[in-house]
Amino acid sequence: DLKPSNVMSSADDTQVQFIDFELAGAHYRGYDLHKIFRTGLPATEASQKNIDLFLKAYMSALRGAGSLKHNGAASPAIQGFVATEQMGPTLEELQGEAAASEPLTWLEAAVFFWFATVEYPSQANEWGPLALDRWNNYLATAHKIEEGGVAAVMLERARRQRRGKGTIATSSVD
């Protein structure tokens, strides 16, 4: 459940603590990266700048991951991850992955709240509107991952550029 309200910092902002692990699991990084900034409000230029700054810091941390040690040696999992990532993703790839994950983040929340209304019928009046809101956000964003959708095009363009094949021919996000 990676979201800002589940991240605590020390009084002097030198340490960070993650809380609320009941929904923890192995997610695709684009999903988690999008969910950190998902508000349901349209992105503004200022919020996009914050997202981009965060993604740049994330890329920097990935590139430094090879230096992480466990019992004096680099963890095999970290070594494999770094080898797979090579030089790490580009900013454009991370932006595309996060954008492509947006509909799924809404769908997951809708399913969660719908389930909660069934499991806890006494709270259905509270959880039902949340489920409906998340479902409507899913419907409003699902087109982004369809062929030619803005997120699909962003991600395809970034990956083609990474592979050295240039940009794709489309005008939907130019």
Side-chain angles (χ1 to χ4, degrees):
D1 203 9
L2 187 57
K3 59 183 181 178
S5 62
N6 289 341
V7 179
M8 299 173 61
S9 65
S10 61
D12 62 359
D13 286 332
T14 60
Q15 296 181 358
V16 173
Q17 179 71 41
F18 296 97
I19 62 168
D20 196 12
F21 290 100
E22 78 275 2
L23 297 179
H27 288 291
Y28 180 64
R29 71 176 170 211
Y31 177 93
D32 284 334
L33 292 170
H34 180 78
K35 196 167 180 184
I36 291 171
F37 291 96
R38 186 192 75 196
T39 64
L41 302 173
T44 65
E45 184 177 332
S47 66
Q48 189 59 52
K49 285 181 183 178
N50 287 334
I51 293 167
D52 291 347
L53 285 171
F54 179 86
L55 294 177
K56 287 175 184 176
Y58 176 83
M59 289 180 348
S60 177
L62 282 179
R63 291 185 180 114
S67 65
L68 294 178
K69 304 285 184 192
H70 178 69
N71 294 331
S75 157
I78 295 294
Q79 289 174 344
F81 176 77
V82 172
T84 300
E85 286 296 313
Q86 296 174 3
M87 292 301 294
T90 65
L91 177 61
E92 293 77 16
E93 279 180 289
L94 291 177
Q95 289 168 330
E97 290 175 9
S101 297
E102 180 181 8
L104 181 58
T105 67
W106 291 117
L107 180 59
E108 177 266 336
V111 169
F112 173 85
F113 286 119
W114 284 125
F115 174 78
T117 64
V118 172
E119 188 68 21
Y120 306 102
S122 65
Q123 296 176 350
N125 287 340
E126 177 185 347
W127 297 47
L130 294 173
L132 186 58
D133 174 71
R134 280 24 174 220
W135 177 250
N136 286 332
N137 280 310
Y138 164 72
L139 293 176
T141 60
H143 70 279
K144 294 179 179 183
I145 58 172
E146 294 173 356
E147 186 174 348
V150 65
V153 170
M154 283 174 65
L155 188 53
E156 184 178 356
R157 177 182 293 143
R159 290 193 171 157
R160 283 187 183 211
Q161 287 175 341
R162 181 181 176 99
R163 292 189 308 259
K165 296 183 179 177
T167 60
I168 59 175
T170 183
S171 61
S172 58
V173 290
D174 288 334

